[in-house]
Amino acid sequence: IACRVAAGELSAEDIDESVIGDSLMTRGIPDPDLIIRTSGECRLSNFLLWQASYAEFYFPEVLWPDFREEAFEEALRVYAGRDRRFGLVADSSNE
């Protein structure tokens, strides 16, 4: 993006979410809904930072080599029970 601006192909004012998304190696691939980070590590380590903005995260204690079908099914059960708001704030007037 910086090279395109420097070359005059793009103005800095025109940089928006779509320009950034189209500049990533994952362009054309849908953003993840669920990110599973095994071993109990509660960090992403720069993994899909832009794409993960509305993803749900799951941090099981199980190590990757031991993450089998049962652990995956548990992750899906937890995910299915979440209230996904995609950036919206919860409505506190109903509480």
Side-chain angles (χ1 to χ4, degrees):
I1 295 172
C3 291
R4 289 177 59 200
V5 171
E9 300 169 10
L10 179 70
S11 73
E13 294 78 25
D14 290 334
I15 299 172
D16 60 11
E17 289 183 20
S18 65
V19 171
I20 295 171
D22 289 342
S23 300
L24 298 173
M25 290 175 57
T26 56
R27 70 184 160 276
I29 300 172
D31 290 343
D33 291 314
L34 173 64
I35 294 179
I36 301 169
R37 172 66 190 233
T38 58
S39 77
E41 294 289 339
C42 294
R43 58 187 166 77
L44 292 181
S45 302
N46 292 328
F47 179 73
L48 297 175
L49 292 178
W50 179 267
Q51 301 87 332
S53 61
Y54 292 113
E56 295 290 321
F57 298 93
Y58 182 68
F59 302 104
E61 293 292 326
V62 63
L63 298 174
W64 174 246
D66 301 321
F67 192 84
R68 305 263 192 263
E69 187 174 346
E70 182 179 309
F72 182 61
E73 288 175 354
E74 176 61 17
L76 294 178
R77 274 192 293 278
V78 169
Y79 170 76
R82 294 195 178 167
D83 178 24
R84 301 208 55 215
R85 296 185 303 271
F86 300 95
L88 298 175
V89 235
D91 182 6
S92 60
S93 64
N94 293 332
E95 294 178 5

